[in-house]
Amino acid sequence: MKNIVVTGGAGFVGSNLALYLQEHFQGSHIIVVDDFRKSGFKNLEGFKGDVIASNVADGEWIQTVKTKKIDAVFHIASITDTTVMDEKKMMRDNVDGFRNILDFAVEKSAPVVYASSAAVYGSFNRKMREEDGGKPNNIYGFSKWVMENLAETYYSKLKIVGLRYFNVFGPGEYHKGLAASMIYQLAIQMIKGNRPRMFKWGEQRRDFVYIKDVVSATVGALSAKENAVINVGTGKSTSFNEIVEILNKILNSGRKPVYFDNPYGFYQNFTEADISKAKDIIGYEPKYTTALAIEEYITKYLFSRDAESRAV
Ligand SMILES: NC(=O)c1ccc[n+]([C@@H]2O[C@H](COP(=O)([O-])OP(=O)(O)OC[C@H]3O[C@@H](n4cnc5c(N)ncnc54)[C@H](O)[C@@H]3O)[C@@H](O)[C@H]2O)c1
């Protein structure tokens, strides 16, 4: 029996990961640690493991698993709303929470894979390479950057890999509301028969990566050649206007965008991952282009029964 901890396991990425591990790692016991601040049990439909409803920054959850052998820790929990401005709370939950995870992993001699973010890059207009990080535009990106710095101080004691996810989309993100992916927001507006709304002039470009590739990369990171921080994207950016074109094709519609002013000064207008390091260190090769993934997302999930239960 392998005990695997997934923090943030009720959220978008964490629930997809927990359900994947349950299906593919036969005989494993998945322990989700999540305080359900935003997410809900619907993301974990069909889950057969344990759930500890706790804030990772409090540390009380560690008592619950103190006597257990732990084989791996996926630390996915985080405040994920980039518009949250409470700096102390962001740092406490994201960074102190991670500190607890790292100390816990050292005690258990368990490898750690953790979620960082493309937000550590801030404003850029070319492909982002890992060494470009460290100029975040907001406190969310800063908290991820500090997590990476902290992780490095544990490199001699632990197997530890940080993943800079780019814009993840796919089933399981509906609970995120306005923090859900732009693809989700635009698709839902268009499926409801409305015109898609976006910031002027829709030329913002993001590296939109499908949840299934993100889960593969996350699991693959356990077998990384070395401790590292790695980009997880598709390697290609797509503009918001192009997303609408793709959606119009799939939905067989011709809806034109409505543009409005962007109120966020710290917005990332461009992200695109250089994924060569991910290929080298964890053998990561995305299976989906953004367009293919959108098609699967719409036809298999947003239009299915799943849409009313866990999926969207
Ligand atoms: N979705 C993306 O596009 C994206 C991009 C870059 C990085 N990330 C990172 O990936 C991870 C997962 O993001 P997501 O999209 O699944 O977000 P999400 O909000 O759906 O999931 C986060 C989960 O963590 C839980 N949580 C938050 N803080 C916690 C704490 N202190 N203790 C316990 N539980 C806590 C929440 O309840 C939620 O279930 C995060 O670390 C996020 O920063 C996501």
Side-chain angles (χ1 to χ4, degrees):
M1 171 74 82
K2 285 208 182 306
N3 290 314
I4 303 175
V5 170
V6 179
T7 72
F12 168 37
V13 175
S15 63
N16 277 284
L17 175 66
L19 293 170
Y20 179 94
L21 292 168
Q22 173 175 288
E23 194 183 332
H24 293 89
F25 284 51
Q26 294 289 319
S28 59
H29 177 64
I30 316 297
I31 303 163
V32 160
V33 184
D34 195 307
D35 64 5
F36 291 81
R37 61 185 65 198
K38 280 246 167 106
S39 49
F41 73 95
K42 281 198 170 181
N43 275 346
L44 284 170
E45 201 174 272
F47 181 61
K48 299 187 180 107
D50 195 1
V51 176
I52 302 170
S54 190
N55 183 338
V56 287
D58 291 343
E60 111 214 357
W61 61 275
I62 293 173
Q63 298 306 318
T64 321
V65 283
K66 209 175 171 167
T67 55
K68 282 195 165 67
K69 181 178 180 307
I70 300 293
D71 298 280
V73 179
F74 291 95
H75 179 52
I76 311 296
S78 166
I79 295 177
T80 54
D81 183 346
T82 54
T83 63
V84 168
M85 291 297 138
D86 184 338
E87 302 199 354
K88 189 171 172 196
K89 180 154 186 55
M90 186 74 82
M91 295 305 284
R92 169 141 177 75
D93 281 11
N94 289 4
V95 181
D96 288 340
F98 189 41
R99 212 184 301 280
N100 284 338
I101 294 289
L102 291 169
D103 289 336
F104 171 71
V106 169
E107 206 176 293
K108 299 289 180 185
S109 301
V112 175
V113 176
Y114 70 97
S116 183
S117 169
V120 300
Y121 292 110
S123 302
F124 251 80
N125 54 10
R126 61 164 168 78
K127 243 185 215 308
M128 291 138 161
R129 287 190 300 266
E130 283 79 356
E131 62 270 26
D132 297 326
K135 303 167 204 86
N137 287 347
N138 52 33
I139 184 66
Y140 165 75
F142 180 71
S143 75
K144 292 291 181 182
W145 176 247
V146 175
M147 284 171 64
E148 291 184 4
N149 298 342
L150 181 63
E152 234 179 287
T153 67
Y154 284 72
Y155 275 10
S156 60
K157 298 182 220 163
L158 269 182
K159 172 156 198 182
I160 175 162
V161 178
L163 300 175
R164 288 182 186 161
Y165 297 148
F166 278 62
N167 270 105
V168 191
F169 70 101
E173 62 172 314
Y174 88 101
H175 64 276
K176 293 180 71 175
L178 288 176
S181 73
M182 197 60 190
I183 290 175
Y184 174 79
Q185 315 281 353
L186 297 173
I188 290 299
Q189 290 163 15
M190 291 169 73
I191 288 169
K192 284 185 178 159
N194 298 320
R195 286 173 63 188
R197 289 173 52 77
M198 61 181 71
F199 299 143
K200 287 175 184 169
W201 297 101
E203 289 308 317
Q204 303 86 343
R205 303 186 71 83
R206 294 282 178 92
D207 189 330
F208 292 104
V209 57
Y210 199 36
I211 184 66
K212 294 188 180 178
D213 280 324
V214 167
V215 168
S216 299
T218 308
V219 174
L222 266 189
S223 332
K225 288 205 290 207
E226 60 195 59
N227 289 350
V229 172
I230 295 168
N231 287 340
V232 177
T234 63
K236 288 218 161 65
S237 61
T238 310
S239 75
F240 295 174
N241 285 330
E242 286 164 355
I243 297 291
V244 170
E245 273 173 41
I246 294 168
L247 288 168
N248 268 325
K249 225 183 247 171
I250 297 167
L251 300 171
N252 200 19
S253 59
R255 296 187 207 292
K256 298 246 176 306
V258 176
Y259 299 108
F260 61 100
D261 288 327
N262 182 349
Y264 303 115
F266 53 78
Y267 201 73
Q268 272 182 308
N269 287 313
F270 179 86
T271 65
E272 189 172 273
D274 180 325
I275 54 172
S276 46
K277 189 170 175 190
K279 281 185 187 166
D280 176 31
I281 292 189
I282 62 169
Y284 169 66
E285 194 73 64
K287 289 201 173 54
Y288 290 84
T289 60
T290 299
L292 259 182
I294 293 176
E295 186 159 4
E296 177 175 302
Y297 189 22
I298 302 293
T299 53
K300 195 164 164 191
Y301 298 100
L302 292 188
F303 272 149
S304 73
R305 184 203 76 87
D306 252 0
E308 285 127 48
S309 54
R310 90 168 276 278
V312 292

